[in-house]
Structures are given as C-alpha cells and as structure tokens.
Amino acid sequence: MTSDRRFVIVGGGLAAAKLAEALRDNDFDGAVTVIGAEEHLPYERPPLSKEHLAGKKSLADFTTDPAPWYRDHHIDLRLGTTVTAIDPVAKTVTLPDDSTLSYTKLALATGSTPRRVPIPGADAPNVYTLRTIEDSDTLIGLFGTARRLVIIGAGWIGMEVAAAARAHQVEVSIVETAELPLLAALGPEMGTVFADLHRAHGVEFHFGAQVTEILTHDEVATGVRLGDGTVIDADAVLVAIGARPNIELAADSGLAVDGGVLVDASLGTSNPDIVAVGDIAEQLHPVLGRRIRVEHWANALNQPAVAAATMLGKSASYDRMPYFFTDQYDLGMEYTGYAAPGDYAQVVVRGDLAKREFVAFWVDADNRVLAGMNVNIWDVTDRIKELIGEQVDPVRLADTSAPL
C-alpha cells in the first residue's frame, strides 16, 4: 500500500464485500480492513431461503469473493470478530480484546438480526430463525425429519420457507397477525394471490391470530397456542416476523438514527467520515423524496459503489429504485419501485391473474406509477423502471394488446 489512509468496514456480508471491491476498483491504495462477525467469507443471503434451502446451491455458489481475492487485493479480512465501540472523535474502533484500530473513513454495514417473540417457550432448541448459512442448513436437515412445521409470520422469509418445506411434504401452518400474507409489502390485492398460491399447495393459514405460547415437553417445542386457545401441533417452529437493524454501534457513537442509521443521498451519515449501507441505511432517497430503509439484496449489492465514492470524496448519489424478487413453487416474481400502504389508489393488473402470469402496477390517485411487479413474465423489469413516476391511462396499461 502506498497511502497511509485506512478505511474500515464494519460488517461481513454482501454489502461489506462489495464496498471493499468498489474501493479497489476506484484505485484506492490505502489499507482496507473488513471486520465481520461470522466465520465465513462474505456471502449473499437470498439463497438461504431460496436456492440453498431448495438444495440447488451450496455456500460456495453464493460466496461473494473467494479467499485469494482478499489476499490479492490486500484486504485485511477479520472474520469471527466484532466491533464493540466507535470513537468518532479519535476515529477508532474498539475490538473485543479492547484493542483499537484507527480509521480515516468508516463504513457501517452491520446488517440486521431476526426478531424474536417474547413468549413462553421461545427459547426451546427447536424454535428457529433464518439469517445465517447455519440456520439454513439446520432447516434443510429439519425437512428430512419433521412432519409438522409452524411458521410465525407471513412475510417473505416465512412464505419462502413454507414453499421449501412443502416440497419435502412437511405439513405447514402459518400464523399471521394481519389478514393476509405480505400485506405491508404488497397490499391486499397481491397478498391474496400469495395466500391462494400457498393454499393450493396445502399450507394452512391462521390470519388475524397471535401466538401467545410455544408449547413444550421436556423443554422441546411441541406446538403453539393462539390467543383464542387454538393449539397447533408441531415438530418445529420458525419465527419469521422480520428483522431489526443492527444500529446499536451507530447510536452509541452519536450518529443520527431513527428506524435505521440516517443517511443522505450519498449514503453519508451525520458524521462526515462515516457512511452506512445495506439493511441499516435509512436513506433520504433523491427520487422518491422520502426516507426509506429497504432490507433487500439489491441495496446490499448496489449501494456500496456509491458509498465507496463518498468515502473517496467524490460526488455520488444512490437513486436506484428498490428491487426484490422471490420464487415460490411455480411462481417467480420481481418487484421494482416503492408503494407503501396508503400511497396508492389502485392496483392495475395486466395479464392473467388466475394463471399467475401478469404484471401488476401500483398507481396513485394522479395515475402515476409507483411500483410494478412481474409474475412469471420476464424481460419487462427495465420497462417497469421506465414507467415509475409516469402518468398513465390505467385502462390502456391493463390492455395486453397495447404496447407496455
């Protein structure tokens, strides 16, 4: 290294790896240190509930970079360790042995942690969450032994695990406090599509319900009890009620936080020498004109290029629209844009809803497209991106004989 500058990246996932890549791609010749809590090389997380859980990919297939890449690019990769404190005045991070490491610029990519349920029985050994490769491997093993699985939560993780479990003939019951799955993400119109999909594959739903106790015998979970007294037997329970961003380090160091670490369009925090990316970044989005925090793969993949430029003193702005995807049974879907509950006036469907081959558009009261989702129809994502923010004729938009 020819520079005495050191950039430290706190986090060991996809965002951290991509940030290290981006720094070297921008010819940064100072020291780069990546500090990650897991023992594994940084890897992508979507396969944990998708291809890996389905037995189609191994960890090596979704590890971001092989070990030689870090060596060849002079990345100081410290796995199996954490940062316990940040001193933004001295510009140091503290490690578990109380040693400190100085930084010139700091990036926070600390990700998120699955939420737990504060109820009796939640600490039983066969009550699981899904966040790491070990968690995914445990579920794979479970599919070979368990007959009945209860999933608490009907979000993306819960629904994807349900699909994988049904492929192994595991009986699945999903308990959800809302009236439909994926309600906050997609609204009732598309939530119904996913409810029908899973029912057609044998999943049992308990909507408008809450688990008040995980029943145990000899300290092992045997089922759940709902608020109305209903008991659902199970060999295992998966808690999939979302995740909380790991913002404690940021908050303790005096950075501005709310639901996440507050960042501007350049992903800079309230401290000029610190950026934040991925799950924890609550960004003032330059196109949407509002703060959003998105816990999806696309942000972890794409935000680091902007964060690297910001760390290097270059002008940069992260203006990509949120994007995520899912594969459940024979349904493949991509979603682009942002339509929060209450933002849209209608959902315009173009295609065959019954066959689950369609494009859905979330449109506001002024007939402007907020978001689009293609289901089992491909190569239209770029066009959906172009339509976001445009004023449309909903009738024409739904007409498959008219060009999209």
Side-chain angles (χ1 to χ4, degrees):
M1 300 291 97
T2 59
S3 169
D4 59 359
R5 293 181 295 171
R6 177 184 295 275
F7 288 3
V8 173
I9 303 169
V10 182
L14 173 63
K18 286 298 178 183
L19 185 46
E21 286 183 19
L23 289 172
R24 292 300 186 228
D25 288 345
N26 279 272
D27 299 322
F28 176 64
D29 60 358
V32 176
T33 298
V34 177
I35 303 171
E38 292 188 61
E39 298 285 352
H40 304 283
L41 293 170
Y43 58 87
E44 300 186 26
R45 298 195 187 275
L48 300 182
S49 60
K50 296 181 173 74
E51 301 97 332
H52 182 68
L53 200 60
K56 298 177 181 179
K57 284 187 176 182
S58 65
L59 177 59
D61 297 323
F62 51 93
T63 293
T64 312
D65 294 299
W69 183 89
Y70 295 94
R71 180 197 64 217
D72 295 344
H73 290 81
H74 305 286
I75 305 297
D76 175 20
L77 183 60
R78 305 189 186 190
L79 300 176
T81 191
T82 57
V83 169
T84 60
I86 301 167
D87 185 335
V89 177
K91 299 178 71 170
T92 61
V93 296
T94 302
L95 303 178
D97 62 0
D98 288 331
S99 64
T100 59
L101 183 67
S102 298
Y103 65 82
T104 309
K105 297 287 184 179
L106 179 67
L108 299 179
T110 47
S112 54
T113 299
R115 297 184 186 277
R116 306 290 301 201
V117 283
I119 58 175
D123 56 353
N126 57 332
V127 176
Y128 306 104
T129 57
L130 178 53
R131 177 66 184 175
T132 67
I133 184 66
E134 288 84 4
D135 295 336
S136 189
D137 286 342
T138 296
L139 290 177
I140 291 171
L142 181 69
F143 293 161
T145 59
R147 293 188 301 110
R148 300 162 300 183
L149 173 66
V150 168
I151 298 174
I152 303 174
W156 295 113
I157 295 293
M159 299 291 274
E160 289 176 353
V161 172
R166 290 301 298 137
H168 289 82
Q169 306 307 310
V170 177
E171 295 178 17
V172 177
S173 297
I174 298 179
V175 181
E176 169 59 46
T177 56
E179 299 303 320
L180 284 168
L182 306 166
L183 194 60
L186 300 181
E189 300 87 354
M190 293 300 110
T192 299
V193 171
F194 282 88
D196 292 345
L197 170 70
H198 280 263
R199 285 195 180 106
H201 286 84
V203 173
E204 179 182 77
F205 286 103
H206 297 263
F207 291 124
Q210 188 165 359
V211 175
T212 57
E213 180 183 2
I214 296 176
L215 303 174
T216 61
H217 178 71
D218 291 336
E219 300 183 347
V220 175
T222 59
V224 302
R225 189 190 310 277
L226 307 186
D228 65 359
T230 299
V231 171
I232 308 171
D233 294 330
D235 303 306
V237 176
L238 175 73
V239 179
I241 56 173
R244 59 171 181 80
N246 297 326
I247 62 174
E248 294 84 359
L249 270 178
D252 291 346
S253 67
L255 294 182
V257 300
D258 190 9
V261 179
L262 302 184
V263 296
D264 59 19
S266 73
L267 302 176
T269 70
S270 56
N271 184 297
D273 296 315
I274 304 177
V275 299
V277 293
D279 289 1
I280 64 170
E282 187 172 346
Q283 185 204 9
L284 183 58
H285 197 282
V287 176
L288 297 173
R290 65 195 300 173
R291 285 201 174 277
I292 61 169
R293 188 179 66 82
V294 180
E295 296 175 357
H296 290 297
W297 162 87
N299 270 14
L301 179 70
N302 297 307
Q303 282 185 344
V306 172
T310 299
M311 295 174 81
L312 293 168
K314 300 177 181 179
S315 177
S317 177
Y318 187 75
D319 57 4
R320 285 177 176 260
M321 285 291 166
Y323 167 90
F324 59 90
F325 67 99
T326 192
D327 296 294
Q328 299 172 30
Y329 309 108
D330 57 353
L331 182 151
M333 174 277 265
E334 297 175 290
Y335 178 104
T336 305
Y338 189 78
D343 283 356
Y344 64 95
Q346 62 176 314
V347 177
V348 177
V349 176
R350 177 189 178 93
D352 194 324
L353 200 64
K355 290 183 178 180
R356 302 188 188 103
E357 295 179 359
F358 62 89
V359 183
F361 294 92
W362 283 257
V363 179
D364 70 12
D366 295 322
N367 289 332
R368 296 190 185 278
V369 175
L370 303 176
M373 179 178 80
N374 49 299
V375 174
N376 291 338
I377 292 177
W378 309 108
D379 301 322
V380 295
T381 301
D382 287 343
R383 181 58 184 143
I384 291 173
K385 289 179 182 177
E386 292 171 354
L387 285 170
I388 291 176
E390 294 295 317
Q391 195 166 35
V392 296
D393 175 354
V395 175
R396 185 180 184 281
L397 189 62
D399 185 357
T400 55
S401 68
L404 184 59

